[in-house]
Amino acid sequence: MLLAVALLLAVVDVAPRPREAPALASADAVVIVRWREEPPVPPAGLQPLPSLDWLGLHRYAVEPTQVDAVLAALSADPRVEFVERDRSYKLLSVPDDPLIGEQWNLQQVHAIDAWDVATGGGDVIVAVLDSGIDASHPELAGRVVSGRNVRERNSDTRDDIGHGTHVAGVIGARGDNGIGVAGMSWGVRLMPIKITDRQGEASITAAAQGIRWAVDHGARIINLSFGGLDDSRTVRLAVEDAYQRGALLVAAAGNCGEVATFRDEGCDVANPPIYPAALSQVIAVGALGANGELAPYSETGSYIRLTAPGGVGGSRRSNPLDYILSTWPPGLPSPIDVPGYSYEVGTSMAAPHVSGAAALVWSTNPTLSRDEVERILFETADPLGPPGRNDRFGYGRVNVQRAVERAAQLPGNRVADIRVLLEAPQPDAVVQGPLTVRGWAVDALAESGTGIDIIEAWLDGPPGQGAPLGRLPYGTARPDVARLLDRGGFTNAGFSVALPVTRGVHTLWLRAHSALSGVWRTQQVRFIATGNPPRVEVPTPTLPGALPSSP
């Protein structure tokens, strides 16, 4: 007997879509000035640009090599209330992956909001029982661990039909890396278990062996984007064994729900139970369209536990809202205009959303049991239909943000392992001139180095809401901190930077991101800025071209 992988293919007839160019090639040669007393003629070296009149701000172009000198001169000029560089900001809540605008699925499950809590660590392995994974794909490279080809009994897990690579990308395509798409958990490790032939079919034996191999080799989550009509005792025993050993199993609910197409999916009747999804130890995932509607092909029944984006199909890939965009082997023909990526549709695409969400929850709080992770996913899902679980939507649509926030609030969360000390400014400090931000950050569980890879500052609001002050340079060695943490001579993320601020009462928000666990730690402090101190009798620095002396 064969288990048919849930996979829909169609022919593309869509022209390439143009990509928008950035508004500015470089913001490094622009300064923003708020004048106390605006000079009748801009000082030499400043070329006026369109102003921000509603804020009382003036913008000037500056020779790129003179930016530092211009900032120093204007900061010392008593006519200037404040001056700052017009910087470009890289906000984690809006990753820079160029195709993310076409990933409606991420918005629907609140994944982008979840990444402000955690982006996913590498301490969780998700096994993908499928057609293999293209480990060389730039979105997946370095995070595909050794797997198994159980059909051919070797280690060749290359993907020759694309389905497994697409599923893997939904789970864990690297986000905020400037290319392609983003997956649910950016740091998760992916284990390819190749169970199919080139026609997308897998034997019961291969499925059972793949499940056992994955658990034996450390997979905490097993994604099963395949299914068949019969309840195999062999597969049931393998699932029960994996479940007893603490693995979380997620499966596609099946694509035979539509009367017009169920025979095309290999079903004898419409909407039959699909296995292994229908087993009680498995989280069966149905598929939703871009408007939150149940996809017409998606199975319903008492075994449905959750729903997630899968697309509705039917548009020959001319409408991205009908499909799920993810990674594709670059060496295989792609039905769209971007090599290495493809649109696909089905409950095969819905299941990895839940697997990726579970990985994000587990890396945020590794002390949770499998049952606790399941309960979090069910309790935080967006309810669809009648209250409680129902046969169409299960417990509802997976909500990644709420699930991760819940995990971060429970004992054992990795947020507590990040130590952040803000030495300056101190609470309610009075600051004259530029604001000095100084301190250190470290992930206490990092075996070497700091575990910290990003430090960001925001003014007068939390990340994503306040004014971004940018990413802070870090890496200063702090022996006193190393001794405090019993870390020997390891360096840690010491930082010290001066930032321009306006007069008034402000709140500084600082957050540090651990590359080890993928979680953020946020600190905040209130301070009072009084502006530049009164000018003393010292020579005024001059711009190239002689900045006029103040009256």
Side-chain angles (χ1 to χ4, degrees), residues 439-528:
W440 57 265
V442 66
D443 187 326
L445 295 187
E447 294 181 358
S448 63
T450 69
I452 302 298
D453 61 345
I454 302 171
I455 301 175
E456 293 182 340
W458 306 73
L459 193 65
D460 297 332
Q465 300 178 33
L469 298 177
R471 293 190 172 178
L472 308 187
Y474 66 88
T476 307
R478 292 289 302 274
D480 53 331
V481 175
R483 287 193 296 271
L484 176 67
L485 297 173
D486 192 23
R487 299 287 296 282
F490 296 143
T491 60
N492 53 76
F495 53 87
S496 181
V497 64
L499 301 171
V501 293
T502 58
R503 288 181 294 180
V505 179
H506 298 286
T507 300
L508 175 72
W509 295 72
L510 191 79
R511 66 176 185 173
H513 181 266
S514 169
L516 183 66
S517 63
V519 302
W520 291 97
R521 179 68 181 261
T522 303
Q523 303 279 90
Q524 66 185 89
V525 63
R526 193 182 79 144
F527 66 94
I528 303 165

Side-chain angles (χ1 to χ4, degrees), residues 106-123:
L106 299 179
Q107 295 281 356
Q108 189 180 97
V109 299
H110 301 279
I112 294 175
D113 298 316
W115 296 331
D116 279 332
V117 180
T119 58
D123 53 349

Side-chain angles (χ1 to χ4, degrees), residues 1-187:
M1 185 183 108
L2 296 177
L3 301 176
V5 170
L7 174 63
L8 298 180
L9 299 175
V11 179
V12 66
D13 57 358
V14 57
R17 288 175 295 281
R19 309 289 177 208
E20 292 185 3
L24 282 175
S26 172
D28 291 339
V30 176
V31 297
I32 302 173
V33 181
R34 189 168 195 173
W35 297 96
R36 292 192 181 96
E37 178 185 344
E38 183 182 358
V41 178
L46 301 182
Q47 178 65 39
L49 295 173
S51 299
L52 306 177
D53 294 331
W54 67 97
L55 295 174
L57 301 176
H58 293 74
R59 299 170 62 245
Y60 302 96
V62 181
E63 285 293 327
T65 59
Q66 299 298 322
V67 171
D68 290 339
V70 168
L71 289 171
L74 289 174
S75 295
D77 191 324
R79 298 173 300 177
V80 174
E81 181 176 332
F82 76 87
V83 58
E84 64 181 358
R85 191 188 310 253
D86 189 357
R87 300 180 293 262
S88 59
Y89 295 116
K90 186 177 181 182
L91 309 183
L92 193 65
S93 56
V94 184
D96 62 4
D97 308 273
L99 298 179
I100 200 168
E102 299 179 19
Q103 292 185 272
W104 59 268
N105 49 311
L106 299 179
Q107 295 281 356
Q108 189 180 97
V109 299
H110 301 279
I112 294 175
D113 298 316
W115 296 331
D116 279 332
V117 180
T119 58
D123 53 349
V124 177
I125 297 177
V126 179
V128 180
L129 271 67
D130 215 289
S131 60
I133 297 176
D134 188 328
S136 67
H137 197 291
E139 302 267 33
L140 308 173
R143 290 179 300 113
V144 179
V145 302
S146 298
R148 182 69 177 169
N149 184 331
V150 295
R151 287 186 64 91
E152 301 177 3
R153 300 181 181 180
N154 59 37
S155 59
D156 183 1
T157 56
R158 290 175 294 180
D159 187 358
D160 44 26
I161 63 175
H163 191 262
T165 300
H166 195 277
V167 167
V170 174
I171 296 170
R174 173 70 69 182
D176 205 35
N177 61 347
I179 60 172
V181 298
M184 303 291 287
S185 180
W186 302 350

